[in-house]
Amino acid sequence: NNQGYLFSELIFTNELNDFLNININPKHFWSGRDDFFALGISSNIYLSQNFQLIPEINQKFSSQSEFNSTIALRYIHNKKKSIDIYASNALGLQDIGKILKSDSFRYGLRFQILF
């Protein structure tokens, strides 16, 4: 069927100091079949001017509660481009995939360009 869904996420970032940011992200998923909340907690740990370590955990609150985690090493090039090397047991890195758990770990690269 053409079942659609709505995914929302609020991103709250607290810069503790020049080397550490803490992110708390409540998330909500709604469709005609399911409705649940999740909470993501992550941090950006600045290892140097160009490198960040980014650990993240997500807890899904529903009848089938799930927990997943991701860790990434980010290389930042000229503040407009970055590359992440990551390991995750989340189903994906965007939208609802961030809060659903995969049966196995996945490893990869993610390229980002800021406009």
Side-chain angles (χ1 to χ4, degrees), residues 20-23 25 40-47 52-58 68-74 87:
L20 181 63
N21 294 350
I22 300 293
N23 308 299
N25 308 332
I41 299 173
S42 66
S43 62
N44 294 63
I45 303 166
Y46 293 85
L47 303 174
Q52 294 178 1
L53 183 64
I54 307 169
E56 179 179 5
I57 58 171
N58 289 288
N68 68 51
S69 60
T70 301
I71 188 157
L73 179 64
R74 177 173 291 165

Side-chain angles (χ1 to χ4, degrees), residues 38-107:
L39 182 64
I41 299 173
S42 66
S43 62
N44 294 63
I45 303 166
Y46 293 85
L47 303 174
S48 70
Q49 185 175 2
N50 296 92
F51 285 96
Q52 294 178 1
L53 183 64
I54 307 169
E56 179 179 5
I57 58 171
N58 289 288
Q59 175 67 48
K60 181 176 109 175
F61 300 100
S62 71
S63 60
Q64 295 178 338
S65 184
E66 291 180 342
F67 168 83
N68 68 51
S69 60
T70 301
I71 188 157
L73 179 64
R74 177 173 291 165
Y75 171 72
I76 302 167
H77 179 71
N78 75 13
K79 296 188 181 187
K80 294 283 186 179
K81 300 175 187 173
S82 66
I83 299 171
D84 293 352
I85 299 171
Y86 68 88
S88 178
N89 67 343
L91 198 58
L93 297 178
Q94 296 185 75
D95 249 6
I96 190 173
K98 292 195 298 187
I99 55 179
L100 297 177
K101 186 176 181 179
S102 175
D103 292 334
S104 61
F105 266 85
R106 62 181 66 225
Y107 308 91

